[in-house]
Amino acid sequence: MTTTTQLLSRFATFALALLLAACAAPGSSSDSMVIRQGVIEQISPTQIRSSQHTGVGAVLGGLTGVGLGSLIGGGTGRDVAMVVGAIGGTMAGAEVARRYDQPLAGHEIFVRTTSGVLVEVTQPATPGLRVGQRVYIEGKGDAARVIPQAQ
């Protein structure tokens, strides 16, 4: 194998590992569901960053560029085309992912639990929630959501 081919092979392996890591689900399946009760004290509008990752776009673009570059020419010319394709594809993929990474409308909801603790949950805008309403807080951390109680 030539040095360039070895470099491209290592790059492709690293890119694939990065892609698989980006797709992995956070947290473990052993997390138990936490449910608390409370009353909404305040609701403020906010913007929530999208969960899109420009890294995934860059990796997919780079891999596509390597694949297209491998179809061009032969020998050293093919190696050069693969490197140029990887660089160009990475830049193009990151730009496409960045353009589609739009924030979502959301709410910062402050809930006073029955134990007296004030909890803040940021979630996508949920119609029907209002100050003074009795609610459940389901989950914990970034996965917490405010759900209205049935009256």
Side-chain angles (χ1 to χ4, degrees), residues 67-142:
L68 291 175
S70 70
L71 300 175
I72 298 173
T76 305
R78 176 181 291 167
D79 295 342
V80 170
M82 290 172 64
V83 170
V84 170
I87 293 169
T90 299
M91 291 171 37
E95 181 63 23
V96 167
R98 187 188 63 75
R99 285 189 182 174
Y100 287 101
D101 190 16
Q102 300 297 321
L104 303 169
H107 287 140
E108 279 184 326
I109 305 167
F110 293 87
V111 177
R112 179 75 61 186
T113 65
T114 54
S115 64
V117 175
L118 186 64
V119 176
E120 185 272 332
V121 175
T122 301
Q123 68 184 39
T126 306
L129 294 179
R130 65 187 187 291
V131 173
Q133 183 178 20
R134 297 193 56 75
V135 293
Y136 294 112
I137 302 172
E138 293 182 347
K140 58 185 176 181
D142 291 341

Side-chain angles (χ1 to χ4, degrees), residues 14-92:
F14 174 74
L16 183 59
L18 183 63
L19 177 64
L20 292 174
C23 293
S28 67
S29 60
S30 65
D31 291 342
S32 60
M33 178 60 75
V34 177
I35 299 176
R36 294 168 280 180
Q37 293 182 336
V39 176
I40 296 177
E41 288 195 357
Q42 179 182 341
I43 300 176
S44 303
T46 189
Q47 296 285 320
I48 300 173
R49 291 197 57 182
S50 172
S51 62
Q52 300 284 334
H53 299 288
T54 56
V56 173
V59 169
L60 291 177
L63 291 174
T64 302
V66 167
L68 291 175
S70 70
L71 300 175
I72 298 173
T76 305
R78 176 181 291 167
D79 295 342
V80 170
M82 290 172 64
V83 170
V84 170
I87 293 169
T90 299
M91 291 171 37

